[in-house]
């Protein structure tokens, strides 16, 4: 039997990172690789109580087919919660998605034709590149620094006519993979480019609530609501195994995204939506999220201290995130992160080589470290092992 | 702000059926329209106990990110359960999906290029046409009768070279919308066409377990495993609000479907997968599904009796399904089902006009009736009202 694969399927290759992560899941490995939230932060008891209540009080509706838009009380909660991002949206603009990853899939279906240019950060979230790929765009990297994309390079790359970029995909808060955050001035400049050129913004904000000491500046979408799609997630503030996210779209675009959602999986599980709406009642998030922030801040500080201690004099540099889950390391010039990973795994520690995160011209001497899954003790042990692997690679 | 929509998005129109179903959801309407399983069949107490056990014993894993393939014990259960369809598959061939609707989306991404011919039944499942549409196929209707597609017309429409159909999409058991079932001889003939011509089969089987007196003949996939993708669902034997389905693919195709799945939503909710695996332990389905069959058989018989009683002499014809959720009505020649629906809703009863279910040449004088959501009393009242609306349309 010879299956005729679609062109896009022929181009899809097994994810490099997927194969790498398999190695890092070996028992005994201290992994800074995966982007797994700490299970210590999962509100298991609140979920148990809410599941019980939902099935007792509202079981038939929770287990029945439901509207593709999502569960109304959850959409209302989202609209209310977004006020803190400076966004004033109607619940009618909120579409509940099966994780925010699905938001990327829907956006791709609606906005990308084969050969369309799209603009992304350097580096950018690998999962977004994977979600966009089936629609066969040409992903163009915009020059970026520790504050996110360069606004002038963004302006230069928008293009015009049939060649005009369909959108720019941005993660302004504690970006995956770098952990960097766009400051106020950069947000203003980037939003201005979008407004001046009519360039749509796809703003992905799964980590925005995970700030350590101070909330980040207002969202890009709040500055250009008619030209932005905003993606949010419950994965990092409640639990990823629920697969609950949402998107907020301007009224001009919402109906098309809704149709794509309906065709994709009819609706996000009604049970999960009701359980989470039940958990969120009575200000749960305002009590719960500060405990996540405190834990991740402590682990980030432990990792930064370990880097300062273990990597002194080895020629590395790294950033100092103010929230989120990741930090970004520049290896000594010429050191290959994939080769280093091989050595590191033998010493019992893992990370993700940075080259997985580039749409163009991957840098081979960068790597991503997650500080949220491992304990402080594991961070100390793992960083010493990583330093040893680096010394042997010099 | 002018968004540049992708070509496929421009072609997507608001679903006719979606708008119709909104009308039928008015309070006080007896609806034979929706395909909603009876909530009386939802195993609420078993779900409550399983949710409690999963969160108590395995909460951290149930709420964490998980493998895109799905939860291993659930995949093993599926492989074991498929033995009764005559299918001998490895758990490695099972991919858990967010409802079987998602299986259609993944198949479309992998197998359809813009302009590809695909073959479907006359009529066919509307949701499949919607799932395929974003990939811009040319859907071709194969002549069909009360036993499903005509094998000779299927052979004639396969085509060759670049024009060869990418697959035929078939619902052999208690088809949506017609309720018809392919008998053994038709299955053998259709499978032979697929084998002779190398035509892939996409076999959708959400209703197969809902037989009244006798299980249907073995699946098409069991006859041509290397050339078939099989889609299954927990929506009709447990509850649709969980959004749990699965596909079974030959080893040659599985990796591409897995990549598409990962890009679409990373994985199906781990919580839901574990809860359902817990419910399914110890032969629950073998005790539970017979109660659904008995209920639906009783309601189907009530609807058939009401049709015999109320519609005598009106010039309608209908089939007598032996399982599933739907039956199919042919109105008197020239009677328009959309106009009839308008009259029927005023009398307090609703159905779905058949024209929604055709890829080509829609028939305006057919309609679909669901016998699973309404009670026997409602069926009797609703059928009398529908007969009155028909009399007034003659």
């Amino acid at each position: 039997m010879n299956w005729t694969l679609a062109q896009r399927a022929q181009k899809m290759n097994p994810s490099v990172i997927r194969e790498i992560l398999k190695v890092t899941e070996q028992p005994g490995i201290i992994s800074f690789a995966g982007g797994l939230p700490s299970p210590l932060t999962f509100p298991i008891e609140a979920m148990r109580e809410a599941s019980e209540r939902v099935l007792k009080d509202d079981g038939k509706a929770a287990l029945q087919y439901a509207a593709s838009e999502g569960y109304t009380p959850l959409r209302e909660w989202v609209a209310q919660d977004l006020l803190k991002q400076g966004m004033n949206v109607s619940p009618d603009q909120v579409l509940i998605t099966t994780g925010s990853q699905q938001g990327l899939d829907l956006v791709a279906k609606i906005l990308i034709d084969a050969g369309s240019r799209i603009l992304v950060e350097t580096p950018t979230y690998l999962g977004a590149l994977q979600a966009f790929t089936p629609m066969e765009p040409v992903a163009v990297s915009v020059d970026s620094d520790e504050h996110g994309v360069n606004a002038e390079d963004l302006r230069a790359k928008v293009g015009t006519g049939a060649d005009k970029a369909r959108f720019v995909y941005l993660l302004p808060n504690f970006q995956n993979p770098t952990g960097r955050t766009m400051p106020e001035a950069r947000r203003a400049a980037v939003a201005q480019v979008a407004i001046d050129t009519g360039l749509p913004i796809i703003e992905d904000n799964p980590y925005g609530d995970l700030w350590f000491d101070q909330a980040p500046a207002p969202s890009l979408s709040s500055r250009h609501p008619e030209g932005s799609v905003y993606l949010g997630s419950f994965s990092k503030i409640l639990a990823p195994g629920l697969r609950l996210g949402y998107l907020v779209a301007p009224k001009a675009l919402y109906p098309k995204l809704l149709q794509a959602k309906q065709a994709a999986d009819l609706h996000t599980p009604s049970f999960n939506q009701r359980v989470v709406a039940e958990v969120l009642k009575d200000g749960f998030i305002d009590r719960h999220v500060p405990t996540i922030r405190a834990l991740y801040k402590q682990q980030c500080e432990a990792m930064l201290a370990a880097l300062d201690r273990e990597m002194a004099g080895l020629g590395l540099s790294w950033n100092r995130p103010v929230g989120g889950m990741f930090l970004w390391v520049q290896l000594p010039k010429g050191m290959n992160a994939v080769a280093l990973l091989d050595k590191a795994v033998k010493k019992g520690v893992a990370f993700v080589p940075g080259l997985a995160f580039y749409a163009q011209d991957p840098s081979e001497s960068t790597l991503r470290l997650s500080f949220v899954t491992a304990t402080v003790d594991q961070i100390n042990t793992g960083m010493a092992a990583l330093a040893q692997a680096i010394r042997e690679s010099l």
Side-chain angles (χ1 to χ4, degrees), chain A residues 301-370:
Chain A
E301 285 173 350
M303 187 170 278
L304 288 168
L307 281 163
D308 290 341
R309 186 173 65 239
E310 302 289 348
M311 306 295 177
L314 296 181
L316 284 71
S317 60
W318 55 88
N319 62 351
R320 305 187 89 84
V322 294
M325 297 173 45
F326 305 109
L327 62 76
W328 189 247
V329 175
Q330 180 73 50
L331 293 170
K333 202 173 170 185
M335 190 178 292
N336 182 298
V338 174
L340 176 65
L341 178 62
D342 195 46
K343 282 205 177 76
V345 167
K346 288 186 180 119
K347 295 190 184 299
V349 62
F351 56 82
V352 182
L355 59 79
F357 300 100
Y358 292 81
Q360 298 177 297
D361 307 324
S363 162
E364 294 186 344
S365 58
T366 53
L367 57 90
R368 187 190 79 175
L369 296 176
S370 160

Side-chain angles (χ1 to χ4, degrees), chain A residues 181-190 216-220 223:
Chain A
T181 296
M182 292 178 82
E184 171 58 34
R186 184 66 63 91
R187 287 176 203 236
V190 165
S219 67
L220 295 165
R223 301 157 204 264

Side-chain angles (χ1 to χ4, degrees), chain A residues 19-51:
Chain A
E19 298 310 307
I20 287 169
L21 290 177
K22 273 188 190 162
V23 175
T24 69
E25 282 162 9
Q26 292 166 6
I29 300 275
I30 294 173
S31 180
F32 306 131
L36 305 183
S38 170
L40 298 175
T41 68
F42 298 163
I44 296 177
E45 183 55 23
M47 283 285 302
R48 202 189 58 71
E49 285 172 18
S51 299

